[in-house]
Amino acid sequence: MGAYLIKRLLLIIPTLFGIMLINFAIVQFVPGGPVEQLIAQMTGTAVESTARFSGSNDGEALEFDTSDTSSTSTYRGSQGLDPDIIKEIEKMYGMDKPAHQRFLKMLKDYVTFDFGESFFRDQKVTSIVLDKMPVSISLGLWTTLLVYLISIPLGIRKAIKDGSRFDIVSSSIVTIGYAIPNFLFAVILIVFFAGGRFYDIFPLRGLFSANFEELSLIEKIIDYFWHLALPLTAMIISGFAGLTFLTKNSFLDQINQQYVMTARAKGLTERKVLYGHVFRNAMLIVLAGFPAAFIGILFTGSLFIEVIFSLDGLGLLGYEAVIMRDYPVIFATLYFFSLLGLIMGIISDFMYSIIDPRIDFEAR
């Protein structure tokens, strides 16, 4: 297993390089970059008078006068700007260098986890990500735990009642929940329970109330879960289908094994057979997949839910960064999620081999 883990760890380097290279190349062809964003703001406020923008470049204040009308820049909307001003903007955002030099510098900085500063927030990217991380971790962790707490008992029950009316009805409900996107559930929950049209029971935005610091410990916990109720519900409804069917199929596979028939022949009760023998073996694959399930929920579920419920997490941060073309934040969140996903994949494989020594990845 040691050689396999070393290979997987070494594969992280080319995988991360490929992910960052592809996304960096795509961004170069996307219109509306940070330079164009700033030019649009400047020209939009300079219809009849002089517009000025204050920025910074290596600690020096910059002031741009847009009254000159001699610009011949290829940037859209740059008519009326002095070419020197555009060069200053490019230098301020680091766009004055060729693309390959910018990419190599980014990789060199990312090796030491130096993500630079946001283009549009006066703050380091690392501190921004760390500030937003608790919200996304809360959503991902609680959703994963609740999905497991729901899916495992339901999957076991479905395996026991395989082919019954309960199995058919529950499968239909689970499949429908899986087919409907979680953001659509989120909108439905808002309409019904967050003052949309019917009831105003749960808050619509944020993770805490305005008076959170004034509350007692018990009241803080209640307030925290009160704000999480609708986002978690929306993510859980569409998130437990796969795990439920995995649990059911795993139990059905074990129930048909020879050792189960032997245990029944010895006179053991069905409950003793199920939870004393089958459960331990059937749950191996389910429990070993916890890290991968957590990352999957964190990746796929947080973006829309955070945007809809105005939860200030990594999903909302990434969305806003894309809209504003805040490249340092975009690439930092991409790098973080990719690295975390690759590491969790290795941990998941390691757990498989620890829980079931019969699994030998090196033999593959």
Side-chain angles (χ1 to χ4, degrees):
M1 188 64 186
Y4 173 77
L5 289 178
I6 293 174
K7 290 178 183 178
R8 287 293 301 272
L9 288 172
L10 292 176
L11 279 173
I12 288 179
I13 298 174
T15 305
L16 267 180
F17 178 83
I19 292 173
M20 300 304 295
L21 177 62
I22 292 173
N23 285 274
F24 185 86
I26 292 174
V27 163
Q28 306 311 306
F29 298 99
V30 176
V35 176
E36 289 183 324
Q37 292 267 350
L38 182 53
I39 288 175
Q41 294 176 20
M42 295 170 63
T43 55
T45 56
V47 178
E48 295 180 356
S49 60
T50 299
R52 308 183 75 84
F53 172 82
S54 296
S56 62
N57 184 14
D58 299 329
E60 299 180 359
L62 296 177
E63 283 194 345
F64 300 141
D65 188 342
T66 63
S67 58
D68 194 313
T69 60
S70 61
S71 172
T72 58
S73 172
T74 58
Y75 288 108
R76 291 186 301 176
S78 63
Q79 290 78 9
L81 292 181
D82 192 297
D84 293 335
I85 294 177
I86 297 177
K87 290 180 180 179
E88 285 293 326
I89 298 174
E90 291 177 337
K91 185 178 180 180
M92 183 175 66
Y93 288 137
M95 298 296 176
D96 57 326
K97 300 177 182 178
H100 69 279
Q101 292 184 14
R102 287 186 279 120
F103 178 70
L104 293 176
K105 182 181 184 303
M106 182 183 71
L107 291 182
K108 181 180 178 181
D109 293 338
Y110 280 17
V111 169
T112 58
F113 291 92
D114 179 10
F115 300 111
E117 293 189 4
S118 168
F119 285 162
F120 302 101
R121 303 168 188 252
D122 189 19
Q123 195 175 359
K124 285 189 171 294
V125 174
T126 304
S127 61
I128 297 175
V129 172
L130 291 177
D131 288 342
K132 311 300 182 183
M133 193 180 297
V135 175
S136 296
I137 295 296
S138 293
L139 281 175
L141 185 60
W142 285 116
T143 301
T144 306
L145 290 175
L146 290 173
V147 164
Y148 267 73
L149 290 175
I150 294 172
S151 299
I152 291 175
L154 180 59
I156 295 173
R157 187 67 177 174
K158 286 173 64 62
I160 296 173
K161 299 290 185 180
D162 183 43
S164 66
R165 177 177 297 180
F166 170 81
D167 181 40
I168 296 173
V169 173
S170 60
S171 294
S172 301
I173 296 174
V174 169
T175 303
I176 292 173
Y178 178 75
I180 300 177
N182 57 14
F183 65 85
L184 183 57
F185 275 121
V187 173
I188 294 173
L189 291 173
I190 289 174
V191 171
F192 278 89
F193 301 109
R197 183 178 294 270
F198 297 93
Y199 303 100
D200 190 5
I201 302 175
F202 297 98
L204 180 59
R205 61 182 63 239
L207 200 58
F208 307 106
S209 297
N211 63 336
F212 182 79
E213 296 299 330
E214 303 172 3
L215 303 176
S216 65
L217 178 61
I218 300 298
E219 291 174 333
K220 286 182 178 180
I221 294 174
I222 295 174
D223 181 77
Y224 171 72
F225 284 104
W226 181 49
H227 282 76
L228 275 179
L230 293 187
L232 286 181
T233 302
M235 294 181 69
I236 289 170
I237 288 176
S238 60
F240 66 88
L243 187 60
T244 299
F245 288 123
L246 175 63
T247 304
K248 175 191 173 182
N249 294 332
S250 181
F251 267 78
L252 286 176
D253 179 65
Q254 293 297 319
I255 287 173
N256 295 323
Q257 296 294 324
Q258 183 66 40
Y259 75 89
V260 175
M261 291 186 284
T262 302
R264 287 171 177 165
K266 290 180 178 180
L268 296 180
T269 62
E270 194 65 25
R271 184 177 182 84
K272 182 67 174 178
V273 171
L274 184 64
Y275 292 100
H277 295 76
V278 176
F279 183 85
R280 179 176 55 189
N281 295 321
M283 290 305 297
L284 291 177
I285 190 172
V286 176
L287 294 178
F290 183 88
F294 170 70
I295 291 299
I297 291 174
L298 188 63
F299 280 170
T300 60
S302 62
L303 172 59
F304 292 115
I305 297 300
E306 288 180 17
V307 171
I308 292 173
F309 289 99
S310 298
L311 298 174
D312 199 11
L314 293 176
L316 183 60
L317 174 67
Y319 171 77
E320 292 177 345
V322 171
I323 296 298
M324 298 175 64
R325 301 297 194 271
D326 197 345
Y327 290 162
V329 177
I330 293 174
F331 290 119
T333 52
L334 175 67
Y335 181 84
F336 169 76
F337 276 124
S338 300
L339 181 60
L340 184 61
L342 292 170
I343 293 175
M344 283 298 184
I346 296 175
I347 294 175
S348 180
D349 288 348
F350 183 70
M351 287 185 63
Y352 276 117
S353 63
I354 293 298
I355 293 175
D356 188 355
R358 296 171 300 175
I359 298 176
D360 186 3
F361 288 101
E362 289 185 12
R364 296 192 308 172

